[in-house]
């Protein structure tokens, strides 16, 4: 039989990294490196404009100045995941630099120089900042160290082999002579980087594996940290906007007579698809906007509603999808056994990062400055070039800290809208979306409809068919990631699932919802797949009459031992099997996502009215080498809360072509008084690091769902959890 | 002209009386540490102190403040409680994206000023109005307790 | 025994009994039908407008005396609050389609833009007056009294036609309004004709010569244009207004329209004139909270457009309505709750109430109920908070107000019930016991 292989994202890690050096302005060493992959013809989804691929671009990865200060030009965006610190740690480790001397700067946009080795473009996402750059950064650090050592040896006229580096100094062991990095930087800059830098043995790591303090936090507790929304270039005016409440609608008519009389309102900008009010401050802009009488030409989508979306996707899922994975003979196994089938539904979700979408633009005839926090700096630059007709070199993107990204800032729509408004305004302008605009004009986590059928043999899964029906975000955002009808992200964690299943078939069926734009959302494809699979596994365990942990372990032990260990640890730490009071239950979910192995156990209580209380969540994770273990724990804690929010409350509902939710009053967030106790246990590992930023988000919903199943016997198959169903007032 | 006492300094601002303090701070005075998250008093990102009490500045009309003292995140570290809270926040690495944290810290400082030794339900009562989308709640709770401990010491 | 012989004693007794019951029923029926009119309470002598010698209490205020007919019509259209009912949620003003959910089905308001097919574009002056005064449309069909024609009936022809002129100046909107979904017998329009004969006086406004001009102006505004009685006066079994209990409060679209008689405890007798005026014109008065639901709409769309002299006139009129004490509405508690969440609430409340409150409410309303943010959000002393049914608290949580976001979508029925009970227990004079089921019912009653 034919086996279709899932298109994997292009892997650049295996490619050779080109290192280049040069002298820094003002002296010192610059070490730049670029992946030749980035120069390949990866079309930029927003624009075909080629990214600059020069010989040596002076804005590169590492600079060491004469005072020995190491500046790391950070390709990835810091949105709370701690990547500034983790990357700095990796470089400092291999460079043997004193960690206090390392600081981080956001890189300018360049796919060529700062392309993410996994995507080939400059993007922060998919929980891969550490895994994608792991080798690259180590090589950069090790090369710089080798060159500094070589420079010192040359000065001392000794064999470099007799020298060691530590704490930002080179030491000649025999003579005890020492030279600081700062003193060597100029000389090192003249050397050629080693072809094959020698990397440290992980057992010699001094920084990696230690819970170091994050570099970006001190200014985040005293109000000094600057996010995109905090930019105040001289003479800036403030704007806020309203786009058509119906997807795809256009402005028909604007009566601005009342708005114009509001003090502080300066200008009303009417574009074909949005209206913005410019004022002396956000308040003027906001009150001005609400004083406008806007008539919208609602267009073709005014009838779209959630009920129809669900009906359509369900109907679509009856058809066969593209085969993403086939092992053994699933058809035969399902025919011969006693198949059990279940369907799972996941709703649209909004990102709602705490910092609403915003962008500050200074557009002049000869250039443009953009201040924003984005996950895609180079794509931002290209998009602005396309809109303004300015050459890339004239567009400066000042990437700022992100007040949360979660995938929302992988799209540049907010930046494009701001630039289009700026084109109508004299002088710099800061466009800030209201929270309502932010929630109602998002790129939503797609609705998914999962059908899984399986048969059991001797208490184990024998046949397995999983059909994933949903939107392909890749097809829009990164067309290379969608081929042969398969969305590489959409089947992530479904084609590579951890259980030994002899006969297996996974299908992807692309089905785009009408009008509703979809995007990456924290946890991306695995969000859907881990929920559907792990919910289903619990239902199978019940059918097999097995304990959910034992049932899983039996099928994991051989194929995915790292996950099996994580599961055993989590079960032990969570007191799996200890008796609970009535209406309390524990639920388990395991996953291999983003190259991390995680087992999660949730303990919940459900009352007779269907109210859910989440008491505690325990996770055990093997994420390979834990660069900064404390950040990893923090990411899991936060991700679990994020996932719990989605499971308990998250749903965007469409009616009459409009998003019904608007702000935190009706798009509810978990609050501190609902937050469970969370215990995260790290498993020591020598494997390459895995991703961690999104894993908690994917882990929480199935674990909670299975805990509810245990507490009530009700097999929920839809997110968010429906209290009416749990109260027995509605059927599953 | 409205006269506001912000972080011990008088600022004269020419703004409408119904304008929420948040925008006066951010867009007129240039103190951007106080954040905008929702504009409807649901998230707490905009929390400041008015005479030491935590108040949502996105809903507070400047015209109603009068001579009361406004303290923002930029100056809260000058109080002993504020400094202890900030330190606990760093010690326990509470922060992720950080966007909500100005508000969290302001709420926590007001809590500790009124209740030096808060238990869990005191923390709930004072902090549940502050949303953290990154989900730092577990550490916020721990840091408040740590700061309370430091205060006792 | 032949058919015409005298009935036997027991049968006679039975017949007499029956007759007695019939007589009682008839008396009761007439007692309702012949109940007092809306302004009967004032006594004195009523005269026709033509015979009234004071300042004309009808028409527009003196500020608009020289305005164009359209301007006058606009003012009166607002005063009559036509837009509130004739605009669907998120719909084009006056294009109709707002649903009124009644126990026996839903009625949708008409399109009153001058569209010739779907609106009132072909209506003559006479048919417009017929609709306002008699509740009969241009095709002779009887309207449901959801259209307050029993109040509008007292509107002068001139004012009604000014409204018509204004409506006819609007852009015609082609909007077909959905059919009503009433069940038998309520779908029998003819019955409405009977109702109208019995309960619509079909009389134009008659000033009270013994009262001041201001009072008469207030009476005209309150009774005819603003049609306050339609919500605030309880109804009889026949759905007519029970003016024996004028302004003593009723339920409207799921909300309680409170007692607005002069009773100091359960009415507005304890309010100052200034507070009443402020509340009517802005929907808010310090110590009395903010108007929500239908009253919020009435303020937004109608009362807030009235000139101060008209508001003052309404206040004068309101003040004259005799006090009726309703035992279900105790005098609001004026003292704030304790500053700590630990004190101030009875022991047996649902813990979820505190949970919802601390997350979504405390930031704005404060633990004391005196808002640290804006007096609009102060709960202390507010009527709804001191209503032991908590109906309007729950409605406010579900639907929000101009100042407060709506929480209906984000929170479950149980949570809303719990927080409503918590709020009345913490800040009100007696705690409510509303349930998740009650909240579910309230959600259903909202117009849409
Ligand atoms: S911005 Fe003020 S509470 Fe959210
Ligand atoms: S740290 Fe990101 S929202 Fe709280």
């Amino acid at each position: 039989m034919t086996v279709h292989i899932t298109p994997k994202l292009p892997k650049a890690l295996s490619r050779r990294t080109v290192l280049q050096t040069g002298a820094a302005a003002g002296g010192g060493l610059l070490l730049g490196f670029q992946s030749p992959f980035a120069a390949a013809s990866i079309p930029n989804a927003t624009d075909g404009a080629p990214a600059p691929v020069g010989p040596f671009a002076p804005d590169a990865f590492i600079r060491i100045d004469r005072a020995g200060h190491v500046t790391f030009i950070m390709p990835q965006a810091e949105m709370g995941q701690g990547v500034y610190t983790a990357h700095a740690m990796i470089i400092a480790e291999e460079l043997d630099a004193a960690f206090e001397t390392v600081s981080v700067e956001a890189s300018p946009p360049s796919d060529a120089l700062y392309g993410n080795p996994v995507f080939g473009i400059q993007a922060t996402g998919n929980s891969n900042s550490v895994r994608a750059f792991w080798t690259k950064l180590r090589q950069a650090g090790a090369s710089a160290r080798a060159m500094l050592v070589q420079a010192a040896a040359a000065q001392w006229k000794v064999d470099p082999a007799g020298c060691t580096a530590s704490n930002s100094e080179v030491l000649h062991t025999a003579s005890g002579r020492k030279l600081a990095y700062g003193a060597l930087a100029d000389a090192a800059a003249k050397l050629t980087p080693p072809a094959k830098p020698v990397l440290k043995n992980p057992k010699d790591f001094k920084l990696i594996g230690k819970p170091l303090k994050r570099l970006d936090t001190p200014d985040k507790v005293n109000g000094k940290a600057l996010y995109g929304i905090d930019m105040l270039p001289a003479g800036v005016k403030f704007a806020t906007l309203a786009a058509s409440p119906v997807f795809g609608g256009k402005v028909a008519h604007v009566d601005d007579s009342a708005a114009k009389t509001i003090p502080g309102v300066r200008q009303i900008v009417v574009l074909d698809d949005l209206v913005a009010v410019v004022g002396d401050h956000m308040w003027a802009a906001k009150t001005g906007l609400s004083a406008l009488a806007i008539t919208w030409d609602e267009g073709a989508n005014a009838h779209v509603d959630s009920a129809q979306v669900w009906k359509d996707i369900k109907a679509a899922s009856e058809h066969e999808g593209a085969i993403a994975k086939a092992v053994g003979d699933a058809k035969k196994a399902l025919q011969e056994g006693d198949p059990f089938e279940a369907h799972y539904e996941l709703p649209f979700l909004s990102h709602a990062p705490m910092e609403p979408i915003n962008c500050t633009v200074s557009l002049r005839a000869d250039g443009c400055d953009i201040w924003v926090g984005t996950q895609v700096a180079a794509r931002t630059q290209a998009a602005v070039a396309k809109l303004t007709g300015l050459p890339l070199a004239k567009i400066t993107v000042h990437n700022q800290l992100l007040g949360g990204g979660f995938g929302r800032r992988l799209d540049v729509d907010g930046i494009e809208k701001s630039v289009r408004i700026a084109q109508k305004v004299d002088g710099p302008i800061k466009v800030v979306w209201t929270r309502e605009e932010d929630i109602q004009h998002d790129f939503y986590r797609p609705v998914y409809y999962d059908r899984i059928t399986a048969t059991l043999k001797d208490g184990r899964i024998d046949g397995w068919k999983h059909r994933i029906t949903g939107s392909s975000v890749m097809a829009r955002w990164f067309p290379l990631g969608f081929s042969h009808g398969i969305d590489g992200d959409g089947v992530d964690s479904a084609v590579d699932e951890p259980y030994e299943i002899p006969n297996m078939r996974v299908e992807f069926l692309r089905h785009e919802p009408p009008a509703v734009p979809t995007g990456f959302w924290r946890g991306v494809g695995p969000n859907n797949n881990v929920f559907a699979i792990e919910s289903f596994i619990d239902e199978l365990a019940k059918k097999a009459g097995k304990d959910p942990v034992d049932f899983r372990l039996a099928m994991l032990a051989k194929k995915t031992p790292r996950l099996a260990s994580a599961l055993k640890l989590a079960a032990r730490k969570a007191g799996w099997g200890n008796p609970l009071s009535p209406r309390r239950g524990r639920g388990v979910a395991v996953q291999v996502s983003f190259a991390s192995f995680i087992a999660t156990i949730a303990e919940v209580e459900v009352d007779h009215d269907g109210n859910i209380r989440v008491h505690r969540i325990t996770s055990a994770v093997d994420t390979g080498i834990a660069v900064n273990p404390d950040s990893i724990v923090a990411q899991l804690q936060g991700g679990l809360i994020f996932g719990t929010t989605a499971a308990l409350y998250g749903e965007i509902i469409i009616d009459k072509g409009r998003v019904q939710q608007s702000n935190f009053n009706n798009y509810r967030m978990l609050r501190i008084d609902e937050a469970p106790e969370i215990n995260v246990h790290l498993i020591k590992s020598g494997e390459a690091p895995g991703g961690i930023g999104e894993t908690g988000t994917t882990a929480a919903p199935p674990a909670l769902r299975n805990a509810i199943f245990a507490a009530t016997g009700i097999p929920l198959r839809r997110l968010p959890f429906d209290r009416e169903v749990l109260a027995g007032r509605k059927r599953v | 002209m409205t006269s506001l006492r912000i972080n011990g300094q008088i600022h004269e601002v020419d703004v409408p009386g119904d304008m929420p303090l948040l925008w006066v701070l951010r867009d007129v005075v240039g103190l951007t540490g106080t954040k905008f998250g929702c504009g409807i008093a649901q998230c707490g990102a905009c929390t400041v102190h008015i005479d030491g009490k935590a108040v949502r500045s996105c809903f507070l009309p400047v015209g109603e403040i009068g001579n009361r003292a406004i303290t923002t995140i930029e100056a809260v570290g000058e109080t002993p409680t504020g400094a202890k809270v900030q330190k606990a926040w760093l010690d326990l690495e509470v922060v992720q994206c950080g966007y909500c944290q100005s508000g969290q810290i302001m709420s926590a400082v007001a809590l500790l000023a009124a209740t030096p030794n808060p238990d869990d339900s005191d923390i709930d009562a004072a902090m549940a109005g502050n949303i953290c989308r990154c989900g730092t709640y577990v550490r916020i709770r721990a840091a408040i307790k740590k700061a309370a401990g430091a205060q006792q010491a | 025994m032949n058919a015409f012989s005298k009935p036997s004693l027991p049968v006679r007794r039975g017949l007499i009994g029956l007759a007695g019951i019939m007589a009682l029923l008839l008396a009761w029926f007439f007692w309702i039908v012949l109940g007092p009119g809306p302004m009967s309470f004032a006594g004195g002598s009523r005269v026709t407008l033509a015979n009234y010698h004071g300042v004309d209490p009808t028409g527009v205020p003196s500020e608009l005396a020289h305005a164009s007919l359209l301007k006058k019509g606009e003012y009166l259209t607002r005063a009559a609050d036509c837009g509130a009912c004739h605009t669907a949620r998120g719909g084009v003003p006056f294009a109709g389609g707002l649903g009124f959910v009644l126990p026996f089905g839903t009625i949708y308001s008409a399109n009153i833009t001058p569209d010739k097919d779907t609106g009132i574009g072909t209506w003559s002056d006479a048919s417009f007056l017929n609709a306002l005064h008699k509740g009969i449309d241009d095709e002779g069909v009887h309207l449901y009294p959801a259209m307050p024609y029993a109040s509008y009936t007292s509107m002068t022809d001139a004012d009604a036609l000014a409204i018509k002129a204004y409506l006819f100046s609007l852009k015609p909107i082609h909007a077909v309004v959905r059919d009503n979904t009433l069940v038998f017998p309520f779908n029998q329009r003819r019955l409405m004709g009977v109702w109208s004969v019995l309960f619509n006086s079909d009389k134009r406004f008659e000033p009270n010569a013994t009262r001041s001009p201001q009072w008469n102006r207030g009476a005209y505004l309150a009774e005819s244009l603003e049609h306050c009685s339609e919500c605030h006066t309880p109804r009889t079994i026949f759905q007519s207004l029970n003016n024996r209990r004028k302004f003593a409060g009723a339920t409207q679209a799921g909300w309680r329209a409170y007692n607005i008689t002069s009773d100091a405890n359960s009415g507005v007798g304890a309010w100052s004139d200034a507070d009443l005026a402020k509340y009517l014109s802005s929907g808010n008065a310090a110590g009395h909270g903010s108007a929500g639901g239908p009253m919020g709409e009435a303020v937004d769309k109608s009362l807030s457009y009235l000139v101060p002299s008209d508001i003052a006139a309404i206040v004068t009129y309101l003040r004259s309505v005799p006090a009726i004490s309703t035992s279900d509405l105790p005098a609001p508690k004026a003292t704030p709750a304790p500053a700590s969440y630990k004190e101030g609430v009875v022991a047996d409340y649902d813990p979820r109430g505190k949970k919802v409150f601390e997350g979504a409410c405390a930031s704005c309303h404060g633990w004391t109920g005196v808002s640290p943010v804006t007096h609009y959000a102060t709960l202390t002393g507010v009527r709804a908070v001191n209503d032991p049914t908590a109906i309007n608290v729950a409605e406010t949580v579900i639907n929000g107000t101009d100042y407060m976001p709506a929480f209906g979508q984000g929170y479950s029925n149980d949570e809303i019930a719990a927080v409503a009970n918590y709020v009345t227990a913490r800040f009100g004079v007696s705690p409510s016991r509303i349930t998740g089921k009650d909240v579910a019912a309230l959600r259903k009653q909202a117009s849409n």
Side-chain angles (χ1 to χ4, degrees), chain A residues 234-305:
Chain A
V236 73
K237 290 264 178 288
F238 302 80
T240 193
L241 61 87
S244 167
V246 174
F247 291 116
K250 301 273 175 231
V251 179
H253 180 257
V254 179
D255 176 356
D256 61 7
S257 46
K260 277 188 171 149
T261 65
I262 290 173
V265 168
R266 295 287 158 200
Q267 190 182 343
I268 286 127
V269 177
V270 181
L271 303 177
D272 68 328
D273 60 341
L274 66 87
V275 184
V277 176
V278 181
D280 292 345
H281 38 66
M282 179 70 172
W283 183 241
K286 219 176 146 181
T287 44
L289 192 72
S290 45
L292 290 176
I294 310 174
T295 319
W296 298 98
D297 171 2
E298 298 184 349
N301 298 323
H303 65 277
V304 174
D305 66 30

Side-chain angles (χ1 to χ4, degrees), chain C residues 38-39 73 199 292 392:
Chain C
M39 286 153 44
F199 301 115
N392 282 12

